[in-house]
PDB file of all heavy atoms in Angstrom:
ATOM      1  N   ARG A  15     -14.607  -5.431  -9.225  1.00  0.00           N
ATOM      2  CA  ARG A  15     -15.356  -5.926  -8.062  1.00  0.00           C
ATOM      3  C   ARG A  15     -15.033  -7.368  -7.690  1.00  0.00           C
ATOM      4  O   ARG A  15     -14.856  -7.706  -6.517  1.00  0.00           O
ATOM      5  CB  ARG A  15     -16.864  -5.813  -8.339  1.00  0.00           C
ATOM      6  CG  ARG A  15     -17.726  -6.263  -7.176  1.00  0.00           C
ATOM      7  CD  ARG A  15     -19.185  -5.895  -7.405  1.00  0.00           C
ATOM      8  NE  ARG A  15     -19.802  -6.636  -8.485  1.00  0.00           N
ATOM      9  CZ  ARG A  15     -20.336  -7.867  -8.345  1.00  0.00           C
ATOM     10  NH1 ARG A  15     -20.298  -8.462  -7.156  1.00  0.00           N
ATOM     11  NH2 ARG A  15     -20.897  -8.454  -9.377  1.00  0.00           N
ATOM     12  N   HIS A  37      -6.336  -1.906   0.947  1.00  0.00           N
ATOM     13  CA  HIS A  37      -6.695  -0.746   0.128  1.00  0.00           C
ATOM     14  C   HIS A  37      -5.535   0.233  -0.061  1.00  0.00           C
ATOM     15  O   HIS A  37      -5.683   1.245  -0.717  1.00  0.00           O
ATOM     16  CB  HIS A  37      -7.879  -0.006   0.745  1.00  0.00           C
ATOM     17  CG  HIS A  37      -9.059  -0.902   0.940  1.00  0.00           C
ATOM     18  ND1 HIS A  37      -9.726  -1.476  -0.128  1.00  0.00           N
ATOM     19  CD2 HIS A  37      -9.667  -1.385   2.034  1.00  0.00           C
ATOM     20  CE1 HIS A  37     -10.705  -2.235   0.316  1.00  0.00           C
ATOM     21  NE2 HIS A  37     -10.690  -2.212   1.616  1.00  0.00           N
ATOM     22  N   ASP A  39      -1.641   1.420  -1.211  1.00  0.00           N
ATOM     23  CA  ASP A  39      -0.596   1.129  -2.201  1.00  0.00           C
ATOM     24  C   ASP A  39       0.625   0.535  -1.535  1.00  0.00           C
ATOM     25  O   ASP A  39       1.291  -0.343  -2.070  1.00  0.00           O
ATOM     26  CB  ASP A  39      -0.164   2.426  -2.920  1.00  0.00           C
ATOM     27  CG  ASP A  39      -1.164   2.806  -3.961  1.00  0.00           C
ATOM     28  OD1 ASP A  39      -1.370   2.009  -4.873  1.00  0.00           O
ATOM     29  OD2 ASP A  39      -1.741   3.892  -3.884  1.00  0.00           O
ATOM     30  N   THR A  54      14.858 -10.927   2.049  1.00  0.00           N
ATOM     31  CA  THR A  54      15.066 -12.116   1.203  1.00  0.00           C
ATOM     32  C   THR A  54      13.756 -12.437   0.472  1.00  0.00           C
ATOM     33  O   THR A  54      12.683 -11.971   0.845  1.00  0.00           O
ATOM     34  CB  THR A  54      15.475 -13.321   2.063  1.00  0.00           C
ATOM     35  OG1 THR A  54      15.885 -14.388   1.207  1.00  0.00           O
ATOM     36  CG2 THR A  54      14.344 -13.806   2.937  1.00  0.00           C
ATOM     37  N   GLU A 137      -1.846 -21.682 -18.632  1.00  0.00           N
ATOM     38  CA  GLU A 137      -0.635 -20.848 -18.519  1.00  0.00           C
ATOM     39  C   GLU A 137      -0.139 -20.712 -17.075  1.00  0.00           C
ATOM     40  O   GLU A 137       0.562 -19.779 -16.714  1.00  0.00           O
ATOM     41  CB  GLU A 137      -0.898 -19.434 -19.104  1.00  0.00           C
ATOM     42  CG  GLU A 137      -1.220 -19.497 -20.577  1.00  0.00           C
ATOM     43  CD  GLU A 137      -1.271 -18.107 -21.225  1.00  0.00           C
ATOM     44  OE1 GLU A 137      -1.242 -17.083 -20.544  1.00  0.00           O
ATOM     45  OE2 GLU A 137      -1.352 -18.067 -22.485  1.00  0.00           O
ATOM     46  N   TYR A 142       1.026 -20.372  -8.224  1.00  0.00           N
ATOM     47  CA  TYR A 142       2.436 -20.129  -7.881  1.00  0.00           C
ATOM     48  C   TYR A 142       2.449 -19.030  -6.830  1.00  0.00           C
ATOM     49  O   TYR A 142       1.646 -18.080  -6.904  1.00  0.00           O
ATOM     50  CB  TYR A 142       3.276 -19.667  -9.068  1.00  0.00           C
ATOM     51  CG  TYR A 142       3.307 -20.645 -10.211  1.00  0.00           C
ATOM     52  CD1 TYR A 142       3.206 -20.185 -11.536  1.00  0.00           C
ATOM     53  CD2 TYR A 142       3.417 -22.003 -10.016  1.00  0.00           C
ATOM     54  CE1 TYR A 142       3.233 -21.079 -12.612  1.00  0.00           C
ATOM     55  CE2 TYR A 142       3.449 -22.907 -11.075  1.00  0.00           C
ATOM     56  CZ  TYR A 142       3.352 -22.440 -12.367  1.00  0.00           C
ATOM     57  OH  TYR A 142       3.363 -23.321 -13.409  1.00  0.00           O
ATOM     58  N   ARG A 218      22.715 -22.495   7.089  1.00  0.00           N
ATOM     59  CA  ARG A 218      21.917 -22.455   5.847  1.00  0.00           C
ATOM     60  C   ARG A 218      20.897 -23.570   5.918  1.00  0.00           C
ATOM     61  O   ARG A 218      21.129 -24.610   6.526  1.00  0.00           O
ATOM     62  CB  ARG A 218      22.796 -22.637   4.604  1.00  0.00           C
ATOM     63  CG  ARG A 218      22.010 -22.599   3.312  1.00  0.00           C
ATOM     64  CD  ARG A 218      22.780 -22.046   2.143  1.00  0.00           C
ATOM     65  NE  ARG A 218      23.000 -20.618   2.275  1.00  0.00           N
ATOM     66  CZ  ARG A 218      23.706 -19.868   1.417  1.00  0.00           C
ATOM     67  NH1 ARG A 218      24.268 -20.435   0.363  1.00  0.00           N
ATOM     68  NH2 ARG A 218      23.832 -18.568   1.582  1.00  0.00           N
TER      69      ARG A 218
ATOM     70  N   HIS B  37      24.709 -15.243  -3.257  1.00  0.00           N
ATOM     71  CA  HIS B  37      25.070 -16.430  -2.454  1.00  0.00           C
ATOM     72  C   HIS B  37      24.521 -16.366  -1.045  1.00  0.00           C
ATOM     73  O   HIS B  37      24.733 -17.287  -0.258  1.00  0.00           O
ATOM     74  CB  HIS B  37      26.588 -16.597  -2.416  1.00  0.00           C
ATOM     75  CG  HIS B  37      27.206 -16.698  -3.804  1.00  0.00           C
ATOM     76  ND1 HIS B  37      26.913 -17.714  -4.662  1.00  0.00           N
ATOM     77  CD2 HIS B  37      28.031 -15.874  -4.463  1.00  0.00           C
ATOM     78  CE1 HIS B  37      27.535 -17.532  -5.804  1.00  0.00           C
ATOM     79  NE2 HIS B  37      28.247 -16.422  -5.716  1.00  0.00           N
ATOM     80  N   ASP B  39      21.523 -16.035   1.962  1.00  0.00           N
ATOM     81  CA  ASP B  39      20.131 -16.373   2.195  1.00  0.00           C
ATOM     82  C   ASP B  39      19.305 -15.096   2.327  1.00  0.00           C
ATOM     83  O   ASP B  39      18.177 -15.030   1.881  1.00  0.00           O
ATOM     84  CB  ASP B  39      19.996 -17.157   3.493  1.00  0.00           C
ATOM     85  CG  ASP B  39      20.363 -18.599   3.296  1.00  0.00           C
ATOM     86  OD1 ASP B  39      19.744 -19.237   2.465  1.00  0.00           O
ATOM     87  OD2 ASP B  39      21.312 -19.066   3.962  1.00  0.00           O
ATOM     88  N   THR B  54       5.596  -2.750  -0.206  1.00  0.00           N
ATOM     89  CA  THR B  54       4.528  -3.056  -1.145  1.00  0.00           C
ATOM     90  C   THR B  54       4.955  -4.169  -2.097  1.00  0.00           C
ATOM     91  O   THR B  54       6.161  -4.436  -2.230  1.00  0.00           O
ATOM     92  CB  THR B  54       4.123  -1.784  -1.963  1.00  0.00           C
ATOM     93  OG1 THR B  54       2.927  -2.081  -2.689  1.00  0.00           O
ATOM     94  CG2 THR B  54       5.205  -1.369  -2.935  1.00  0.00           C
ATOM     95  N   GLU B 137       2.998 -24.605 -18.548  1.00  0.00           N
ATOM     96  CA  GLU B 137       2.500 -24.263 -17.213  1.00  0.00           C
ATOM     97  C   GLU B 137       2.917 -22.841 -16.846  1.00  0.00           C
ATOM     98  O   GLU B 137       2.991 -22.483 -15.650  1.00  0.00           O
ATOM     99  CB  GLU B 137       3.000 -25.264 -16.186  1.00  0.00           C
ATOM    100  CG  GLU B 137       2.459 -26.661 -16.438  1.00  0.00           C
ATOM    101  CD  GLU B 137       2.733 -27.615 -15.297  1.00  0.00           C
ATOM    102  OE1 GLU B 137       3.490 -27.276 -14.374  1.00  0.00           O
ATOM    103  OE2 GLU B 137       2.199 -28.736 -15.346  1.00  0.00           O
ATOM    104  N   TYR B 142       6.693 -14.818 -15.672  1.00  0.00           N
ATOM    105  CA  TYR B 142       5.934 -13.984 -14.743  1.00  0.00           C
ATOM    106  C   TYR B 142       6.925 -13.378 -13.761  1.00  0.00           C
ATOM    107  O   TYR B 142       7.881 -14.055 -13.347  1.00  0.00           O
ATOM    108  CB  TYR B 142       4.895 -14.789 -13.952  1.00  0.00           C
ATOM    109  CG  TYR B 142       3.870 -15.489 -14.812  1.00  0.00           C
ATOM    110  CD1 TYR B 142       3.429 -16.788 -14.480  1.00  0.00           C
ATOM    111  CD2 TYR B 142       3.329 -14.885 -15.936  1.00  0.00           C
ATOM    112  CE1 TYR B 142       2.499 -17.461 -15.271  1.00  0.00           C
ATOM    113  CE2 TYR B 142       2.368 -15.536 -16.713  1.00  0.00           C
ATOM    114  CZ  TYR B 142       1.965 -16.818 -16.372  1.00  0.00           C
ATOM    115  OH  TYR B 142       1.029 -17.477 -17.154  1.00  0.00           O
ATOM    116  N   ARG B 218      -2.637   8.161  -6.030  1.00  0.00           N
ATOM    117  CA  ARG B 218      -2.673   6.749  -6.434  1.00  0.00           C
ATOM    118  C   ARG B 218      -2.337   6.699  -7.918  1.00  0.00           C
ATOM    119  O   ARG B 218      -2.641   7.598  -8.673  1.00  0.00           O
ATOM    120  CB  ARG B 218      -4.044   6.138  -6.151  1.00  0.00           C
ATOM    121  CG  ARG B 218      -4.106   4.662  -6.581  1.00  0.00           C
ATOM    122  CD  ARG B 218      -5.029   3.837  -5.733  1.00  0.00           C
ATOM    123  NE  ARG B 218      -4.493   3.624  -4.381  1.00  0.00           N
ATOM    124  CZ  ARG B 218      -5.151   2.997  -3.408  1.00  0.00           C
ATOM    125  NH1 ARG B 218      -6.371   2.526  -3.620  1.00  0.00           N
ATOM    126  NH2 ARG B 218      -4.601   2.808  -2.220  1.00  0.00           N
TER     127      ARG B 218
END
Side-chain angles (χ1 to χ4, degrees):
Chain A
R15 182 169 68 84
H37 303 296
D39 281 301
T54 190
E137 296 190 352
Y142 301 139
R218 180 149 290 177
Chain B
H37 304 297
D39 281 301
T54 189
E137 296 190 351
Y142 300 140
R218 179 148 290 176

